[in-house]
């Protein structure tokens, strides 16, 4: 009995010491490795769910936008947002509205997960460097620094999943009457590799990288800056218990998405057209020289800009802007709000499980 009492006392002392060490680490801001892993997984899952939910919600508008961007102006099938959606419904049915969405979700889930995770990590790294340079440990990210973090995150995520974006674009524009059709994502990837070579998987990559800077960068910068301004100034009673309401966060995401997509849209059009170059038997691609309906070959991004403006006018750089404007506002807003809500849910679950 005595030995058991000693062991029990030693165990109690050991527990108290361990608790004291944990409390000390907590006061010093040191997190256990398991917490860091859980935090990373939480960001990845939240980003993936946010991307999948937001893209599925606006899939019909996304498909129509791409069709408007690349359709031959001498053989117009889609003439506006409402008419275009009706035409797809009439000729391809309900499933036609969501053509390419499976591939888009397969792409956007890892894309969004990597993008949000990269943004958080880039923000922490940039903030640390900024605090070290200024000598101010309380310094916060400026809008310009947020822009840099957002741009880094966008480039990393886009580059990692770009081949899937190219395939998604091609799957989206093919119709039931196409002379040659891809049967799915893997068939499309293997066909492009076999017929056009590995480099073809990155057609249009350069305008995509350039477009990432204003698009993703401004999305994050505007969104975070708006949130910070609203929390600091508390205008119009938009705060709820020291936090922004879901509606307010939705509005911030909408404003951020509108600014980003408007600035970067011409680059998106050029990217999509470059992705179609070299695709044999394409059903509805870009105009050729004069009145021809054959696909137009581009020698690069500058050449694509030049030929697009030459044969179709400056307005061609904004083809599909209307459905994209309608799409991007709820898409970006839903993505940001879903991301934060999923992180909150996962955070509660992690604390409970501990």
């Amino acid at each position: 009995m005595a030995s058991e009492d000693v062991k029990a006392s030693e165990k109690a002392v050991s527990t108290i010491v361990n608790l004291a060490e944990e409390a000390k680490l907590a006061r010093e801001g040191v997190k256990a490795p398991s917490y860091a892993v859980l935090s990373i997984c939480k960001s990845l899952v939240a980003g993936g769910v946010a991307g999948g939910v937001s893209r599925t919600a606006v899939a019909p508008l996304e498909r129509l936008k791409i069709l408007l961007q690349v359709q031959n102006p001498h053989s117009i099938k889609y003439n506006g947002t409402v008419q275009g959606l009706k035409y797809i419904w009439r000729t391809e049915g309900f499933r036609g509205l969501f053509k390419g969405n499976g591939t888009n979700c397969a792409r956007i889930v890892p894309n969004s997960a990597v993008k949000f995770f990269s943004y958080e990590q880039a923000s922490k790294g940039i903030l640390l460097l900024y605090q070290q340079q200024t000598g101010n440990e309380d310094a916060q990210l400026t809008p310009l620094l947020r822009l840099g973090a957002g741009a880094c995150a966008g480039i990393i995520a886009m580059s990692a999943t770009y081949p899937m974006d190219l395939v998604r674009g091609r799957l989206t524009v093919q119709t039931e009457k196409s002379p040659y059709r891809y049967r799915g994502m893997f068939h499309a990837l293997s066909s492009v590799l076999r017929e056009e070579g590995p480099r073809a998987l990155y057609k249009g990559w350069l305008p995509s990288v350039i477009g990432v800077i204003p698009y993703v960068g401004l999305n994050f910068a505007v969104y975070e800056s708006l949130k910070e301004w609203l929390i600091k100034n508390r205008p119009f009673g938009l705060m709820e218990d020291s936090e922004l309401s879901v509606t307010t966060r939705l509005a911030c995401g909408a404003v951020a998405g509108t600014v980003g997509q408007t600035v970067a849209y011409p680059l998106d059009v050029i990217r999509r057209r470059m992705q179609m170059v070299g695709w044999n038997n394409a059903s509805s691609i870009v105009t050729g020289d004069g009145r021809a309906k054959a696909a137009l070959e581009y020698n690069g991004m500058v050449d694509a800009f030049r030929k697009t403006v030459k044969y179709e006018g400056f307005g061609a750089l904004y083809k599909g802007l209307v459905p994209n404007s309608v799409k991007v506002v709820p898409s970006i807003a839903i993505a940001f709000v879903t991301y934060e809500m999923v992180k909150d849910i996962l955070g509660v679950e992690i604390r409970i499980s501990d």
Side-chain angles (χ1 to χ4, degrees), residues 102-114:
T103 304
N104 193 27
C105 287
R107 176 191 71 87
I108 204 64
V109 169
N111 180 280
S112 294
V114 174

Side-chain angles (χ1 to χ4, degrees), residues 170-171 173-183 187-192 194-196 279-284:
R170 294 191 176 189
L171 286 170
V173 303
Q174 70 181 12
T175 66
E176 299 297 330
K177 297 180 180 179
S178 301
Y180 177 80
R181 300 180 61 219
Y182 295 129
R183 294 191 296 271
H187 178 247
L189 282 170
S190 62
S191 297
V192 173
R194 183 177 63 255
E195 298 171 5
E196 304 173 49
W279 181 17
N280 294 327
N281 301 312
S283 59
S284 173

Side-chain angles (χ1 to χ4, degrees), residues 33 35 44 81 85 87 110 135 190 193 202 252:
Y35 180 88
L44 289 172
T81 305
L85 291 173
Y87 183 83
S190 62
L193 281 171
Y202 281 87
C252 291

Side-chain angles (χ1 to χ4, degrees), residues 102-287:
T103 304
N104 193 27
C105 287
R107 176 191 71 87
I108 204 64
V109 169
N111 180 280
S112 294
V114 174
K115 183 170 63 179
F116 278 105
F117 172 68
S118 299
Y119 177 73
E120 288 197 351
Q121 299 307 309
S123 296
K124 292 177 181 177
I126 291 174
L127 179 59
L128 180 62
L129 291 175
Y130 181 62
Q131 290 174 341
Q132 290 176 348
Q133 289 183 351
T134 59
N136 181 10
E137 295 183 355
D138 297 325
Q140 299 297 319
L141 287 175
T142 64
L144 183 61
L145 293 177
R146 288 198 182 101
L147 178 64
C152 289
I155 291 173
I156 292 171
M158 182 274 297
S159 298
T161 59
Y162 192 81
M164 296 177 70
D165 180 66
L166 179 138
V167 165
R168 190 264 300 201
R170 294 191 176 189
L171 286 170
T172 297
V173 303
Q174 70 181 12
T175 66
E176 299 297 330
K177 297 180 180 179
S178 301
Y180 177 80
R181 300 180 61 219
Y182 295 129
R183 294 191 296 271
M185 179 177 65
F186 295 108
H187 178 247
L189 282 170
S190 62
S191 297
V192 173
L193 281 171
R194 183 177 63 255
E195 298 171 5
E196 304 173 49
R199 292 183 62 184
L201 293 174
Y202 281 87
K203 286 180 177 178
W205 180 81
L206 181 58
S208 297
V209 170
I210 297 174
V212 158
I213 296 174
Y215 184 65
V216 178
L218 285 174
N219 275 343
F220 279 111
V222 174
Y223 180 76
E224 294 292 342
S225 297
L226 273 175
K227 277 179 49 181
E228 183 178 298
W229 182 81
L230 289 171
I231 291 173
K232 182 178 180 180
N233 294 279
R234 299 172 175 266
F236 313 116
L238 297 175
M239 297 291 295
E240 290 184 358
D241 299 328
S242 301
E243 293 186 359
L244 295 177
S245 65
V246 173
T247 303
T248 304
R249 283 183 284 172
L250 195 67
C252 291
V255 173
T258 301
V259 173
Q261 67 92 20
T262 301
V263 174
Y265 194 78
L267 288 161
D268 186 57
V269 172
I270 295 303
R271 170 189 66 147
R272 196 62 66 187
R273 293 189 169 202
M274 291 179 69
Q275 288 178 345
M276 303 300 159
V277 172
W279 181 17
N280 294 327
N281 301 312
S283 59
S284 173
I285 315 299
V286 191
T287 180

Side-chain angles (χ1 to χ4, degrees), residues 50 53-54 58 116 215 219 223 246-258 326-341:
V53 171
S54 63
V58 297
F116 278 105
Y215 184 65
N219 275 343
Y223 180 76
V246 173
T247 303
T248 304
R249 283 183 284 172
L250 195 67
C252 291
V255 173
T258 301
V326 176
K327 169 192 74 69
V328 77
V329 170
S331 177
I332 298 297
I334 291 171
F336 276 113
V337 174
T338 303
Y339 175 71
E340 293 190 355
M341 292 180 67

